[in-house]
Amino acid sequence: MSTIGQIERATQKRVVKLFSQTLGYAYLGDWHKRPNNRNIEDSYLRSWLSGRYDEELITRAIAELQRVAGDSSRIAYDVNRSVYELLRYGVKVSAGAGENFHTIRLIDWANPEANHFAIAEEVTVSGSGAKSSTKRPDIVLYVNGIALVVLELKRSTVSVSEGIRQNLDNQKSMFIRPFFSTMQLVMAGNDTEGLRYGTIETREKYYLQWKEASEAQNSPNSALDRDLVHVCRKDRLLELVHNFIVFDAGTKKTCRHNQYFGVRAAQEHIRTRQGGIIWHTQGSGKSLTMVWLAKWIRENVVGARVLIITDRTELDEQIEKVFKGVDEDIHRTKSGADLIARLNDTGPWLLGSLVHKFGGKEEGDVGNFLDEVRRSLPPGFSPKGDIYVFVDECHRTQSGDLHQAMRSILPNAMFIGFTGTPLLKDDKATSLEVFGPYIHTYRFDEAVKDGVVLDLRYEARDIDQDITSPHKIDQWFEAKTKGLSDLAKAQLKQRWGTMKAVLSSQSRLEKIVADILMDMELKDRLASGRGNAMLVSGSIYEACKFYELFEKSPLKDRCAIITSYKPTPNDVKGEGDGEGLTERLRKYEIYNRMLGGKEPEVFEKEVKKRFIESPAQMKLLIVVDKLLTGFDAPSATYLYIDKNMQDHGLFQAICRVNRLDGDDKEYGQIIDYKDLFRSLEGAITDYTSGAFEGYDKADVEGLLENRLQKAQQRLSEVLEALRALCEPVSPPKGTHDYLHYFCAADTGDKDALKENEPKRLTLYKLTASLIRAYADIANNLGEAGYDEAGAAALKAEVEHFEKVRCEVKLASGDYIDLKMFEPAMRHLIDTYIRAEDSEVISAFDDMSLVELIVERGPDAVNALPEGIKGNPKNIAETIENNVRKLIIDETPVNPKYYEQMSELLDALVGQRKADALSYAEYLDKIVELAKRVHSPEVGGSYPAGINTPAKRALFDNLSGDEALATAIDDDVRRSKKADWRGNMFKERGAAGDRSPHQRFDTCRYDLQFGPQAA
């Protein structure tokens, strides 16, 4: 029997069976109609605790857990954190005043099978006492009667994203937020995409996917079932909750699969006292891996202490921020002597140390650091505790001298190296000797496949430099050196050999600037203001020259330099001889002009903030070395490289552009002006040549991809997906057929629009991706292998799907509602597709069709696309769908009024289908109805005193009782707290002068009708 497109209920029944028969969970039943479902089921929890503790202690412990979980005075994050601490560490209670405290363990973490694991389905949960806020999660997993996991399931043809959004909706205060106070994992899944998981309040794009090879021969065939077995088997689930949850500076996080298996592998090495290296590619969460491993060591190794060594201030600060974010106090040593003093003492358990700037001034000054450390050794020095040394970026800090010295100081310590980049071939053998074998690896190509980081596209751009008149340059040289000795001329000519390149580079820099400005206009993410770029310059002086050129362009005020340079008068002391500005003087002048009187640190902070939060206002950063490494270095969409770089520095720099930072960012783009990869062909076919010749080929596989090849592949994939989506559309696949498939075959069917929404959403997203993919290749179709006919056919197909999307959006009423998914589409359509479609959309001026009808009357139909307005039936159905959607959306605000409007619409649709009205009569009536739906004050005859949306809603739903409606409105306005929006205490009615029910209704009243109403 086929399982294609099976309904959610069938999937749910299979999943319940999997939990009960394969994973050994008790089945609690279908709790659809069971009253008073809770996230803490008292009877199950009490039953499990009985026999382990005295009844009085059990009662007090359950009461304390319920009190903490039900605390409505704090935000969801804080409540969930407090509940987690009770679950993990137990509840401390006493039998009475003066009695000793006992710790009541709510879960037996050490013996998973000793706990009561159970599953319930269709768990109806009421929220905030309002009937409309009742929700029903598909699956809830209970451990000892405490709800730890919620799972939303979708049919195979509906995106798992729908389940994620459902979870996010359920966590809103207007629904069942309190139910999530005990939740540790929040999941969604279907049979085609498998399982996605996060924690409370995890945003959609940060939901994770588990990846694990199945060892069992009878492993389930379904991706969803396999994922559930891996994540939710009893021992694994408790381990994830106990060892892999952190509350990090306001965000609750859990682990990715690479972090889990990396820590697990390290645990085995620790048990056997064997060091090694964890190589997890840039951007895959190396810092949190350190946190989870350090916490495990502290809890499982007697007398354990952890020392984290870095070689850069920014990394030292990063480590401190991460650990302090999870409430672990780390002591950053101030010098080599401070490090020795702390090691010679019994505390603290967690230390951080730099290997530079103690004995010397330069980063990486290992020699001076070691000298200071040795000088600081007191007589009888003996490091206290069982010490574990984490060496961050061990490819830099693992030099033989450093490691030997640290070994001599800490002879019994165990060393674990961490790196985000592959190890150089020359260092690899030494590193493996120093630290031991690889503990766990997670390479770049794996992270791309898992969606942890984005793919990188590479494009080499060559800008030739020519000396246009060598003879005149030689003449100028001779004139300037007249009177010098031959030896002086020879020395100057040697210098001149490099100066000619510098002097001839002005035009080259101008070409690069012009190139980047062109990209700013043509590349979709840059032009739309959603993306940004970094330009890596070869020197601070060249960075200043770049900035000076951009000052004369449209990027003025949206471009800045970020380097380590801090201009001071001493920099230019004695510079200049009256012949013109020297390099130092020009650099000093340009930099100060840019700073505008601000301190460099203040300027840098402001610029980084704009670059990250408002890329349209700070589109380009010019850098040399800063901002290219470290977890808090900003991500970008484009990286332009005009600096000779290689190996680790280059690897970390290009990883600036592979971070996830928006739904419309599908890859990071590298533009190489230095031919760092020697040739495009060499870079794509052999990663061990050129810039990465120091690495083993396997270690950097998948790092860079041919731009055109990958763009063409992406275009083909999206096009095939769109064709498959539209395959069921009935022939001849005209406008009417597409509207019936994606909207509703019958405009009187009130549920069809909603049911078809997932299909429409998929259409919009795929079309947006298609346009982006086409834009990426549109200027290079010939190079990509398309002949003239093929290019024309491709363009026509892209235009076709853009028209389909436009017509479906208008016909369904989605035009305004879903534009957030395509922030850069307008630019792409204008640039790469003929202007006809853009004129159609711009005719609406960001108004819905109903708003346009209200403004223009019957003439509004002239703004519809040709495929719709050329057919009276299509026009009628489009208007009806839009009016129907508005009625559905507005019904909760004023049920009585919009029920009447719905009846009028049904009657009008019936008359149209029965041909009881001429087209002109129908158009007049539907326009009049649209006006009444859009503006109730037009549609109803209200007394003069009923003059606000809130009063009209009360009047309509209170049988026209003007006095009662006015009295209720007055009462709400008097009891509403001023400026309550965003004020947690006022939102929760902290004043206490009204019941919780009254306070909730006041806030809901204000949200529905606006502050002016209440």
Side-chain angles (χ1 to χ4, degrees):
M1 184 176 179
S2 174
T3 60
I4 295 176
Q6 66 174 313
I7 61 173
E8 293 164 27
R9 192 65 177 167
T11 302
Q12 185 170 314
K13 288 299 181 188
R14 192 191 74 244
V15 166
V16 169
K17 184 178 179 181
L18 175 80
F19 272 96
S20 57
Q21 296 186 3
T22 303
L23 296 178
Y25 282 60
Y27 178 57
L28 301 180
D30 184 324
W31 284 4
H32 179 192
K33 296 182 179 180
R34 179 178 183 261
N36 301 317
N37 293 322
R38 296 286 183 266
N39 54 1
I40 301 169
E41 292 289 337
D42 186 296
S43 60
Y44 290 103
L45 179 55
R46 185 177 295 275
S47 173
W48 185 80
L49 290 171
S50 293
R52 289 176 169 84
Y53 305 99
D54 293 339
E55 286 302 317
E56 180 62 28
L57 294 176
I58 291 173
T59 299
R60 289 175 180 267
I62 294 176
E64 176 62 10
L65 176 63
Q66 290 173 333
R67 183 192 68 79
V68 172
D71 188 352
S72 61
S73 66
R74 298 193 295 162
I75 61 173
Y77 171 85
D78 288 338
V79 174
N80 191 276
R81 181 174 187 160
S82 296
V83 170
Y84 178 78
E85 289 170 352
L86 295 180
L87 296 178
R88 196 179 193 279
Y89 303 110
V91 186
K92 293 188 182 300
V93 293
S94 66
E99 297 286 332
N100 291 331
F101 277 86
H102 300 266
T103 300
I104 308 302
R105 303 286 180 181
L106 303 173
I107 295 174
D108 188 341
W109 301 104
N111 304 291
E113 290 295 337
N115 298 281
H116 178 254
F117 286 79
I119 178 174
E121 59 178 325
E122 299 296 321
V123 181
T124 299
V125 181
S126 298
S128 303
K131 185 177 179 181
S132 60
S133 65
T134 296
K135 289 290 185 177
R136 193 166 64 246
D138 293 334
I139 298 286
V140 179
L141 304 184
Y142 293 85
V143 176
N144 305 332
I146 304 168
L148 297 188
V149 180
V150 65
L151 169 63
E152 289 294 341
L153 297 170
K154 292 297 166 189
R155 68 175 70 190
S156 57
T157 56
V158 175
S159 171
V160 72
S161 295
E162 292 293 309
I164 294 173
R165 291 182 202 128
Q166 197 168 330
N167 277 325
L168 290 170
D169 278 346
N170 288 348
Q171 293 175 66
K172 293 176 180 176
S173 58
M174 66 186 73
F175 296 119
I176 58 171
R177 175 182 288 174
F179 188 69
F180 286 79
S181 64
T182 63
M183 293 300 169
Q184 304 308 312
L185 295 177
V186 181
M187 301 177 174
N190 65 17
D191 280 325
T192 50
E193 296 172 274
L195 186 72
R196 299 293 184 274
Y197 67 98
T199 63
I200 63 159
E201 300 182 326
T202 298
R203 290 160 58 192
E204 181 182 338
K205 69 177 180 179
Y206 294 121
Y207 265 69
L208 307 172
Q209 183 174 17
W210 195 261
K211 182 179 176 183
E212 181 177 0
S214 294
E215 298 177 359
Q217 292 183 345
N218 58 347
S219 176
N221 293 323
S222 162
L224 173 62
D225 292 8
R226 285 196 303 272
D227 290 346
L228 286 171
V229 168
H230 288 146
V231 176
C232 295
R233 72 174 200 237
K234 295 177 181 180
D235 59 334
R236 175 69 59 76
L237 178 61
L238 290 195
E239 183 185 15
L240 289 174
V241 174
H242 189 266
N243 293 341
F244 293 93
I245 294 284
V246 292
F247 292 81
D248 184 5
T251 303
K252 185 177 182 181
K253 299 175 181 177
T254 190
C255 61
R256 298 186 179 113
H257 64 85
N258 64 291
Q259 294 169 315
Y260 171 82
F261 289 112
V263 170
R264 283 296 304 271
Q267 291 170 4
E268 291 305 312
H269 276 246
I270 288 166
R271 290 188 180 101
T272 59
R273 301 293 298 182
Q274 182 185 16
I277 297 172
I278 295 176
W279 166 25
H280 285 183
T281 197
Q282 296 279 330
S284 61
K286 181 163 54 76
S287 297
L288 279 180
T289 301
M290 281 189 184
V291 168
W292 281 311
L293 182 56
K295 289 170 77 73
W296 183 87
I297 290 173
R298 186 188 187 192
E299 293 183 346
N300 291 274
V301 180
V302 177
R305 301 177 72 190
V306 175
L307 167 62
I308 301 176
I309 294 179
T310 62
D311 71 334
R312 293 187 180 177
T313 304
E314 62 196 34
L315 294 177
D316 197 36
E317 292 172 347
Q318 167 191 340
I319 295 297
E320 180 185 38
K321 286 178 184 175
V322 171
F323 274 95
K324 291 205 168 183
V326 299
D327 282 351
E328 292 292 351
D329 194 19
I330 182 171
H331 175 78
R332 289 172 64 194
T333 58
K334 302 174 181 63
S335 65
D338 185 26
L339 172 61
I340 293 300
R342 299 292 176 175
L343 290 173
N344 202 32
D345 198 355
T346 55
W349 80 274
L350 186 61
L351 294 165
S353 178
L354 278 166
V355 296
H356 76 284
K357 289 190 177 176
F358 297 149
K361 294 182 179 179
E362 298 299 323
E363 293 206 358
D365 193 352
V366 174
N368 280 320
F369 169 69
L370 293 178
D371 287 342
E372 183 187 352
V373 169
R374 292 189 184 101
R375 287 194 305 269
S376 303
L377 287 175
F381 170 74
S382 174
K384 308 301 187 293
D386 189 356
I387 297 175
Y388 296 81
V389 183
F390 293 177
V391 184
D392 193 27
E393 300 300 348
C394 62
H395 59 271
R396 292 196 300 258
T397 51
Q398 59 79 46
S399 73
D401 288 344
L402 171 65
H403 196 78
Q404 243 180 358
M406 297 304 292
R407 281 283 188 194
S408 65
I409 295 167
L410 304 170
N412 299 316
M414 177 178 167
F415 285 72
I416 298 177
F418 289 81
T419 183
T421 62
L423 296 177
L424 292 167
K425 284 187 286 188
D426 291 344
D427 294 337
K428 200 169 184 178
T430 306
S431 299
L432 297 180
E433 284 177 16
V434 167
F435 289 98
Y438 280 126
I439 294 173
H440 192 258
T441 62
Y442 187 56
R443 293 179 171 84
F444 181 89
D445 54 338
E446 295 176 272
V448 170
K449 288 177 185 175
D450 293 342
V452 174
V453 296
L454 296 172
D455 201 355
L456 293 171
R457 305 285 174 84
Y458 170 78
E459 182 178 348
R461 295 184 185 176
D462 183 33
I463 295 182
D464 293 326
Q465 290 192 97
D466 294 312
I467 305 298
T468 56
S469 183
H471 176 67
K472 289 196 174 182
I473 289 175
D474 289 339
Q475 279 186 324
W476 182 89
F477 179 83
E478 289 298 329
K480 285 290 182 181
T481 58
K482 191 177 293 183
L484 293 182
S485 67
D486 289 342
L487 179 59
K489 283 186 179 182
Q491 291 175 332
L492 194 56
K493 278 207 170 190
Q494 189 175 6
R495 167 69 173 155
W496 181 246
T498 58
M499 283 300 293
K500 282 196 292 188
V502 172
L503 292 176
S504 67
S505 69
Q506 178 70 17
S507 62
R508 180 179 178 278
L509 298 187
E510 288 173 352
K511 286 186 173 69
I512 291 176
V513 168
D515 207 29
I516 293 173
L517 291 173
M518 181 68 75
D519 284 349
M520 291 289 176
E521 295 297 324
L522 295 183
K523 301 300 183 183
D524 60 304
R525 240 178 158 251
L526 296 178
S528 68
R530 292 273 295 162
N532 50 26
M534 297 175 76
L535 168 60
V536 187
S537 176
S539 69
I540 295 174
Y541 174 63
E542 283 189 17
C544 290
K545 290 177 71 176
F546 272 124
Y547 178 78
E548 194 172 39
L549 292 170
F550 281 115
E551 273 188 309
K552 303 168 186 174
S553 77
L555 278 192
K556 181 183 180 182
D557 300 325
R558 292 188 289 170
C559 164
I561 312 169
I562 299 292
T563 70
S564 56
Y565 178 54
K566 298 179 182 180
T568 66
N570 287 334
D571 294 333
V572 293
K573 190 176 181 180
E575 286 288 314
D577 57 2
E579 292 285 327
L581 292 176
T582 64
E583 179 178 310
R584 285 182 130 192
L585 283 170
R586 285 195 68 191
K587 180 170 70 174
Y588 179 80
E589 180 202 350
I590 294 169
Y591 222 93
N592 271 316
R593 187 167 71 242
M594 177 189 72
L595 292 176
K598 296 179 180 177
E599 289 296 319
E601 293 83 1
V602 174
F603 177 81
E604 179 179 331
K605 186 176 181 180
E606 291 177 357
V607 164
K608 277 178 64 176
K609 182 178 174 66
R610 288 168 60 197
F611 186 76
I612 295 168
E613 297 178 4
S614 309
Q617 302 303 315
M618 183 52 62
K619 302 189 76 165
L620 178 70
L621 291 186
I622 306 168
V623 301
V624 179
D625 290 310
K626 287 193 79 171
L627 303 192
L628 295 180
T629 61
F631 87 115
D632 58 348
S635 67
T637 308
Y638 279 70
L639 182 73
Y640 297 91
I641 304 177
D642 191 40
K643 176 184 179 180
N644 288 318
M645 307 173 73
Q646 67 181 67
D647 299 332
H648 298 304
L650 178 59
F651 193 103
Q652 291 180 319
I654 65 178
C655 287
R656 292 302 100 216
V657 297
N658 72 342
R659 300 298 196 265
L660 306 172
D661 58 10
D663 292 337
D664 59 338
K665 181 179 176 182
E666 297 176 346
Y667 55 85
Q669 181 77 52
I670 311 295
I671 309 296
D672 175 15
Y673 289 108
K674 285 292 189 181
D675 199 14
L676 298 178
F677 305 92
R678 297 294 172 257
S679 71
L680 182 61
E681 180 182 0
I684 302 310
T685 59
D686 184 2
Y687 299 94
T688 60
S689 67
F692 290 134
E693 63 187 352
Y695 293 119
D696 282 333
K697 182 175 180 178
D699 289 350
V700 291
E701 191 169 0
L703 180 60
L704 295 171
E705 301 285 356
N706 181 295
R707 183 184 70 83
L708 285 178
Q709 179 184 334
K710 292 296 290 185
Q712 186 176 16
Q713 179 183 336
R714 172 65 178 154
L715 181 65
S716 299
E717 289 172 355
V718 176
L719 205 48
E720 283 303 314
L722 256 176
R723 290 167 179 162
L725 176 68
C726 297
E727 178 66 28
V729 176
S730 301
K733 296 196 175 184
T735 295
H736 191 68
D737 307 307
Y738 277 107
L739 298 189
H740 275 201
Y741 180 69
F742 285 104
C743 300
D746 180 1
T747 53
D749 186 345
K750 300 176 183 180
D751 298 322
L753 264 181
K754 186 67 178 175
E755 288 177 1
N756 286 326
E757 192 173 281
K759 285 193 296 190
R760 295 200 302 276
L761 184 57
T762 303
L763 172 70
Y764 304 153
K765 285 189 171 182
L766 284 176
T767 308
S769 294
L770 175 65
I771 294 173
R772 282 196 294 268
Y774 178 72
D776 194 46
I777 204 174
N779 293 333
N780 308 100
L781 290 174
E783 297 172 45
Y786 292 89
D787 58 20
E788 192 171 335
L794 175 63
K795 182 178 180 181
E797 191 165 15
V798 175
E799 289 178 353
H800 167 73
F801 283 116
E802 165 56 16
K803 285 181 178 179
V804 169
R805 181 189 66 165
C806 177
E807 293 177 353
V808 168
K809 287 180 77 172
L810 291 171
S812 64
D814 290 338
Y815 172 63
I816 297 298
D817 293 347
L818 291 172
K819 68 178 181 180
M820 68 183 72
F821 292 102
E822 306 150 38
M825 290 304 98
R826 177 56 31 238
H827 163 76
L828 297 182
I829 294 167
D830 291 343
T831 304
Y832 295 106
I833 302 177
R834 66 188 182 200
E836 174 191 337
D837 292 331
S838 64
E839 290 172 1
V840 167
I841 293 180
S842 65
F844 280 76
D845 295 325
D846 282 348
M847 290 189 291
S848 68
L849 179 58
V850 175
E851 290 171 327
L852 201 69
I853 289 171
V854 171
E855 181 180 288
R856 302 185 189 178
D859 291 341
V861 299
N862 295 325
L864 294 170
E866 292 296 333
I868 295 178
K869 71 181 181 183
N871 184 318
K873 185 178 181 182
N874 288 348
I875 293 174
E877 291 182 350
T878 296
I879 297 175
E880 288 161 4
N881 283 334
N882 277 263
V883 174
R884 177 83 66 196
K885 189 170 187 297
L886 183 58
I887 289 173
I888 292 170
D889 291 344
E890 295 298 323
T891 293
V893 176
N894 190 341
K896 193 73 173 178
Y897 179 79
Y898 286 102
E899 283 171 11
Q900 296 172 359
M901 295 299 103
S902 181
E903 291 170 2
L904 290 174
L905 178 61
D906 290 341
L908 191 55
V909 170
Q911 287 180 297
R912 174 181 65 80
K913 290 181 176 179
D915 293 327
L917 295 171
S918 69
Y919 177 67
E921 288 176 314
Y922 164 79
L923 205 55
D924 286 338
K925 287 183 177 292
I926 194 70
V927 166
E928 181 60 31
L929 179 60
K931 290 179 179 179
R932 294 179 65 184
V933 171
H934 180 268
S935 305
E937 66 273 18
V938 174
S941 57
Y942 296 100
I946 304 299
N947 52 11
T948 68
K951 289 181 181 179
R952 284 193 288 272
L954 291 169
F955 181 82
D956 287 333
N957 290 274
L958 294 173
S959 304
D961 190 328
E962 180 181 0
L964 182 55
T966 303
I968 292 176
D969 183 73
D970 289 342
D971 184 58
V972 172
R973 279 191 287 121
R974 279 195 306 272
S975 60
K976 181 178 72 72
K977 300 298 180 184
D979 301 323
W980 67 270
R981 291 171 186 264
N983 186 312
M984 181 180 68
F985 295 103
K986 289 184 178 181
E987 284 183 5
R988 298 178 184 277
D993 56 345
R994 289 164 293 134
S995 70
H997 182 78
Q998 288 172 318
R999 291 195 297 269
F1000 175 81
D1001 283 349
T1002 299
C1003 292
R1004 186 174 60 179
Y1005 185 90
D1006 197 358
L1007 284 170
Q1008 286 185 332
F1009 302 116
Q1012 78 284 356

